[in-house]
Amino acid sequence: MALRRVTGCALVVALGALAGCTAQDSPETAPAAASQPPSVEVTDVDDVVGDLDVPWGLAFLPDGDAVVTLRNEAALVVVGPDGSATDVTGPGADELTDLVVPGGEGGLLGVTVLGADGTTVDLALYATAADDNRVLRGTLDGSVLGDLRPILTGIEKAGNHNGGRLAVGPDGFLYVTTGDAGDPPSAQDPDSLNGKILRITPDGEPAPGNPDDGSPVWSLGHRNVQGLGWAPDGRMFASEFGQNTWDELNVIEPGANYGWPEVEGIGDGFVSPVAQWPTTDASPSGLAVTDEGVYLAGLRGERLWRVPLTDDGVGTPGALLEGERGRLRAVEPAPDGSLWVVTGNTDGRGDVRDGDDRILRLVVD
């Protein structure tokens, strides 16, 4: 495939270090960091695969292939670096067809690898069912998905704000993001699973060392977290949709309260984001962390934001692929050092281009 050279330009935003901004500040009056180009650029970008119907989550398998969720089809596809795309079949695939009830932002959402034994890979999936959002576990052998079992149920569902991202942390436990499901006060309710980041064992039990014994809640006060990742120094980052004012990049600490619905963006009395954007510029979905930066896939913003990592925090964000490929749903570091980016133009909110949706392979220098 032909390679296309793309350079980034920045349009930013206020950083968490800029104190004094509250949820009442408008994008025009809130303090903002000086705009500057990112210190890296995309030197190569090409399509891995196209013609995917509302792809949402992506996780790399031990053999270098990736498993991709299709939100509305309630299906999985195994994608190879060579562009091959194989539909996942088997009893688990049939169960997904029967179980998942797509609608609005719900459907088959996040996926992550819990472990592997030879060719058999242990997967976790986040799915919207008839009565709730839930986390499922099953084994994938090649392109055959075995029987599924629910390991966490009872996460409230809605047309919007279903959360859905899954990730295994450096500690080996499973982290689950949930949205407020249209009920903002639930984000402040410690007894609710909604508006939270949850930390559980691979069997769905509250993980040992959680802030409250017996509770899966790791952090609270979230509107709709859509991305998770860890820096080499152990910092945990999360991307979060704002409502009307500020989207956020947060550093997650156990037991911390990030303010929703009392605060949107930087504000008093809660943990403030380390970076924030007007909602027109970001709507950050999936997130990837590399040795040098945090990358956020922007839906409404139609760009890939890079936030450089520094020894004592983060630097000034810069934008890559701005307006080049439309809405961006997910981003993951690939085994070869590139970034795989999932576009999100077929979700009913984007302008569909020929070949959408697709997975892009980016090389960033």
Side-chain angles (χ1 to χ4, degrees):
M1 296 181 183
L3 300 181
R4 190 154 51 120
R5 186 176 180 85
V6 184
T7 58
C9 60
L11 175 63
V12 182
V13 301
L15 297 179
L18 297 170
C21 169
T22 70
Q24 287 71 43
D25 291 320
S26 71
E28 291 78 21
T29 61
S35 295
Q36 65 179 39
S39 58
V40 300
E41 64 178 11
V42 178
T43 56
D44 289 330
V45 56
D46 60 286
D47 292 0
V48 177
V49 68
D51 296 315
L52 299 174
D53 183 18
V54 197
W56 204 96
L58 181 152
F60 281 97
L61 304 172
D63 64 2
D65 289 349
V67 60
V68 180
T69 62
L70 304 181
R71 186 187 74 185
N72 292 358
E73 289 190 3
L76 297 170
V77 177
V78 175
V79 175
D82 61 355
S84 60
T86 305
D87 293 336
V88 170
T89 59
D94 294 338
E95 287 181 56
L96 289 175
T97 300
D98 294 335
L99 171 74
V100 178
V101 181
E105 296 173 359
L108 185 59
L109 302 178
V111 58
T112 195
V113 172
L114 297 173
D117 182 8
T119 62
T120 302
V121 179
D122 196 2
L123 291 182
L125 298 162
Y126 190 104
T128 306
D131 299 318
D132 64 357
N133 288 304
R134 53 182 55 193
V135 180
L136 310 169
R137 182 175 173 180
T139 56
L140 181 69
D141 191 347
S143 60
V144 177
L145 184 65
D147 291 331
L148 298 172
R149 64 184 177 94
I151 60 172
L152 181 65
T153 61
I155 304 165
E156 294 295 328
K157 59 173 277 188
N160 304 99
H161 309 173
N162 287 293
R165 200 67 64 180
L166 301 175
V168 174
D171 56 10
F173 293 112
L174 176 61
Y175 290 77
V176 181
T177 77
T178 70
D180 67 12
D183 178 25
S186 69
Q188 291 295 325
D189 180 358
D191 295 325
S192 170
L193 297 178
N194 288 83
K196 310 293 190 299
I197 296 175
L198 310 176
R199 178 175 175 264
I200 59 176
T201 70
D203 291 320
E205 298 298 321
N210 279 0
D212 294 318
D213 288 341
S215 170
V217 174
W218 187 245
S219 62
L220 71 161
H222 299 292
R223 182 173 181 267
N224 197 21
V225 172
Q226 293 281 284
L228 291 176
W230 286 262
D233 61 8
R235 280 179 292 171
M236 178 182 176
F237 287 90
S239 55
E240 183 159 354
F241 286 150
Q243 183 173 30
N244 298 316
T245 310
W246 296 116
D247 292 322
E248 301 178 0
L249 174 65
N250 287 297
V251 172
I252 303 301
E253 298 290 346
N257 190 329
Y258 292 82
W260 177 256
E262 304 302 323
V263 171
E264 183 181 347
I266 298 168
D268 295 333
F270 301 96
V271 179
S272 287
V274 295
Q276 64 179 30
W277 295 261
T279 54
T280 53
D281 294 345
S283 295
S285 188
L287 174 152
V289 186
T290 70
D291 290 345
E292 47 77 25
V294 182
Y295 291 82
L296 300 90
L299 287 167
R300 188 178 176 190
E302 298 191 353
R303 66 201 82 179
L304 182 68
W305 284 104
R306 173 185 176 264
V307 183
L309 293 171
T310 66
D311 291 339
D312 58 354
V314 298
T316 301
L320 302 165
L321 296 183
E322 186 171 357
E324 293 289 330
R325 297 298 187 113
R327 292 162 60 84
L328 305 181
R329 169 64 69 181
V331 55
E332 291 288 342
D336 65 0
S338 66
L339 294 171
W340 280 25
V341 178
V342 179
T343 68
N345 296 315
T346 60
D347 64 356
R349 297 178 178 177
D351 295 324
V352 179
R353 306 162 188 221
D354 186 36
D356 280 344
D357 268 319
R358 63 193 80 214
I359 296 174
L360 311 174
R361 178 183 178 272
L362 276 64
V363 176
V364 180
D365 291 324

